[in-house]
Every structure is written in structure tokens, then in C-alpha cells.
Amino acid sequence: MYGGGEWGGDADAVPSLTIEVQDGDIATVEYRPAPDGLGRFYLGFQPRDFFDDPAESDPVDLAAEAEAFAEWSLLVGAVDVEAKHVRRLLAEEHVDEPEDTFVEETVERLVRLVGLPIPEGLDGGDDLV
């Protein structure tokens, strides 16, 4: 959880970022503030595809999430984050294998993209909170 200007900071702060890594294959990214209906996307695999069950996660509008997250990054002081760079990191629908072997690698690339420090525990722990 990134809030109040630091990892492990205030969960109620705005802007905030929460990243939950599950089994090295899926990372759920939630950010606030976000436009209505947005604020959550996945890295690695989308749960609905990984578990082959559409009930595991709602569909993600990848283009809209990339644009909104690029705008969100301005709130944490990032400059020149383009939606196309965010978009390349997001979990595609029906992907056979993501670009990175471990989703933690993709999380690190996302965190670096927006200029935040790399949180402790990104070395393969179960959760980044």
C-alpha cells in the first residue's frame, strides 16, 4: 500500500496505490482517485483467464485504465507517463504467457514507470501491502 507519500503509509490517503501479488502470476493493482468504474487492473494474468472462470474478475477496459493510471501518476509526482507505456504492462485478456516470467518483475516496472521507490518485499513475497 502506497499512501501519504510512502509504502506502508496511510491507507486512507489520496492518492493511494495498493498492489497485491498472488502466486507470482497475478498482481491486482488498485489506485485512488480514479474515474467512476475504473481504478483496478491486473498485471501478469487476469484472474478470469488464469482460473478459466469469468466470475473470478470483472472485464477490464485496458485502454481506459491505462489512461486513468497515467493521469493518476501525476498526483504522485511522475512526469511524462504516457498511457501507451502503462498499457504495455497491463494483463491482456486470454494471454497464454505474459512478457515477464514472474509478475513481480512487471510490478517493479510499473512502480519505476511512475517514479515511486521499489517497496520492500518485492523479491517474491506473497503480498505488497
Side-chain angles (χ1 to χ4, degrees), residues 6-127:
E6 62 185 354
W7 289 105
D10 183 0
D12 295 323
V14 175
S16 66
L17 175 66
T18 302
I19 304 173
E20 181 182 353
V21 175
Q22 303 165 16
D23 299 324
D25 295 310
I26 300 169
T28 303
V29 178
E30 296 180 343
Y31 59 97
R32 295 181 331 153
D36 287 341
L38 301 176
R40 174 186 284 177
F41 59 84
Y42 304 97
L43 305 176
F45 292 96
Q46 292 188 26
R48 61 190 298 112
D49 295 326
F50 186 77
F51 297 109
D52 197 25
D53 182 356
E56 288 292 327
S57 62
D58 291 331
V60 176
D61 182 337
L62 298 174
E65 289 291 359
E67 187 68 40
F69 190 76
E71 288 293 320
W72 174 90
S73 71
L74 296 172
L75 299 174
V76 294
V79 291
D80 260 351
V81 174
E82 294 181 40
K84 68 182 180 181
H85 297 299
V86 175
R87 176 68 182 81
R88 289 184 195 138
L89 299 175
L90 303 185
E92 295 284 341
E93 291 183 51
H94 313 297
V95 68
D96 289 326
E97 287 296 325
E99 181 178 334
D100 293 323
T101 302
F102 300 103
V103 75
E104 291 87 351
E105 297 169 53
T106 313
V107 169
E108 184 174 340
R109 292 192 307 147
L110 181 73
V111 170
R112 287 186 191 282
L113 180 66
V114 298
L116 296 177
I118 303 302
E120 290 184 35
L122 191 53
D123 54 4
D126 291 335
D127 292 324

